Amino acid sequence: MEYIGSQNASRGRRQRRMHPNVSQGCQGGCATCSDYNGCLSCKPKLFFVLERIGMKQIGVCLSSCPSGYYGTRYPDINKCTKCKADCDTCFNKNFCTKCKSGFYLHLGKCLDNCPEGLEANNHTMECVSIVHCEASEWSPWSPCTKKGKTCGFKRGTETRVREIIQHPSAKGNLCPPTSEARKCTVQRKKCPKGERGRKGRERKRKKPSKEESKDAIPDNKGLEPSRETPEQRENKQQQKKRKVQDKQQKSVSVSAVH
C-alpha cells in the first residue's frame, strides 16, 4: 500500500512539472486548464477542440463541434476533428454534408463537376438528376372552322392542344409544341340567319350604298381654276340678263292675249 501511494504521489509531481500552470478551478466546461493553453481536458459529454488565435492554439470545451469540424467520442476524451479542405460541414472524415464555394455535393463528396447523367444545381450546390419535359395527352380535335365560323364552307381548319405538366431542368429535353392544326373537309351547309361569321358581317357593314357612292365621287368641275378673262365674264352676264328680259316679255305678251 505504501508503494502504491508513493507511485500516485510521484505521478502527481510529474504532472505538475509538465503543466506548471494547471488549475483545477477552470471556467467554460474545462476539467483541467492552463493559463497559456486554455482547456487541457473537458468535463464529461463535452467536446475538446483547439482554436487558433494567431500563432497560438487554445483548447476550448463545447457541447457540439463548430462548423467545419466533426465530433468523435472516445472513452477518455471527446474531441472535434477538422473536415476536409473542400468541405464546409461534415458527418465524419469521409462524408461531407455541405461543400465550400465552387464545389458540388454528391454522395458525401465535394466535386468540381457533376458526374455524367447529373447536373449542377447552383442554388443548393448539389449534383441532381436531369429532369426532362413532360406534356399531357392531346385534347380532342376542335370543330372544323373557317374565318371564325362553322358553316358556309367546305374546307377549313381544326386544332388540338396539350399542357406542360413538368418543365425541364437546365440540361433536360425541351418541351414539344402545345398546339397543332390541320386542314379538314366538311359537307357544305348554309349558315342560319345571324351566323354569317364576323368577317362577313364586317364586309356587309362596310359596303357603301349607291347614294353614298355618288356622294363620294369628287366634283372636279368646282375644283378647276377659272381661266376666263374679265371681258368674257361680262359678256356672259349680259347674255344672262337678255335671257331674263326675253322671258319676261314673252310672259307679258301671253297674258295680254288671254
Side-chain angles (χ1 to χ4, degrees):
M1 292 292 291
E2 290 178 1
Y3 175 72
I4 294 172
S6 63
Q7 277 187 327
N8 290 335
S10 63
R11 190 184 297 116
R13 285 193 298 271
R14 190 162 58 249
Q15 285 179 345
R16 280 195 294 273
R17 282 199 300 270
M18 290 172 64
H19 303 289
N21 297 322
V22 171
S23 171
Q24 296 298 321
C26 303
Q27 301 293 323
C30 298
T32 58
C33 59
S34 162
D35 293 338
Y36 183 79
N37 297 112
C39 293
L40 301 174
S41 64
C42 298
K43 292 177 180 178
K45 298 183 179 179
L46 296 181
F47 289 92
F48 176 81
V49 61
L50 287 172
E51 287 187 351
R52 183 173 290 279
I53 302 175
M55 298 296 292
K56 183 177 167 184
Q57 283 189 327
I58 300 293
V60 293
C61 296
L62 305 170
S63 58
S64 61
C65 292
S67 179
Y69 291 79
Y70 66 94
T72 309
R73 294 185 184 275
Y74 296 99
D76 56 338
I77 188 170
N78 303 325
K79 65 176 184 177
C80 295
T81 307
K82 203 164 188 178
C83 301
K84 288 184 177 180
D86 54 8
C87 190
D88 195 32
T89 59
C90 58
F91 180 73
N92 56 39
K93 182 180 179 180
N94 299 314
F95 196 94
C96 187
T97 53
K98 184 182 178 183
C99 297
K100 288 188 176 177
S101 179
F103 295 92
Y104 298 96
L105 182 66
H106 177 59
L107 300 177
K109 297 188 182 301
C110 296
L111 308 173
D112 293 322
N113 298 295
C114 292
E116 190 176 349
L118 300 175
E119 66 179 3
N121 185 321
N122 291 321
H123 180 67
T124 61
M125 297 305 291
E126 295 178 348
C127 294
V128 296
S129 299
I130 296 173
V131 178
H132 299 294
C133 182
E134 291 182 32
S136 67
E137 297 293 326
W138 286 108
S139 68
W141 287 101
S142 69
C144 196
T145 60
K146 185 177 182 180
K147 295 180 181 178
K149 57 181 182 176
T150 57
C151 55
F153 63 90
K154 187 176 181 181
R155 292 182 179 83
T157 306
E158 58 186 2
T159 58
R160 64 177 183 175
V161 295
R162 60 182 171 185
E163 295 180 353
I164 301 301
I165 56 178
Q166 176 63 63
H167 289 277
S169 59
K171 289 187 177 180
N173 294 336
L174 298 177
C175 292
T178 55
S179 63
E180 276 187 354
R182 67 181 183 184
K183 299 294 181 183
C184 52
T185 305
V186 294
Q187 187 175 357
R188 187 189 293 273
K189 60 178 180 179
K190 288 185 178 180
C191 291
K193 256 190 172 180
E195 223 179 290
R196 294 175 179 270
R198 187 172 70 249
K199 291 196 175 181
R201 287 195 297 271
E202 288 176 358
R203 200 179 297 115
K204 187 178 177 184
R205 199 183 302 120
K206 288 179 181 178
K207 191 175 179 182
S209 62
K210 289 182 181 179
E211 292 178 0
E212 288 175 346
S213 299
K214 286 179 181 177
D215 293 342
I217 298 171
D219 186 6
N220 292 329
K221 291 180 181 179
L223 297 175
E224 289 180 0
S226 176
R227 296 179 182 177
E228 294 177 346
T229 60
E231 294 177 358
Q232 288 175 338
R233 282 199 296 274
E234 190 176 347
N235 290 335
K236 280 187 178 181
Q237 288 175 2
Q238 289 178 0
Q239 288 175 3
K240 284 180 182 179
K241 284 181 182 179
R242 288 194 202 100
K243 285 181 181 179
V244 172
Q245 289 173 359
D246 291 342
K247 283 182 182 179
Q248 288 176 352
Q249 288 176 0
K250 284 181 181 178
S251 61
V252 169
S253 61
V254 169
S255 60
V257 170
H258 287 293

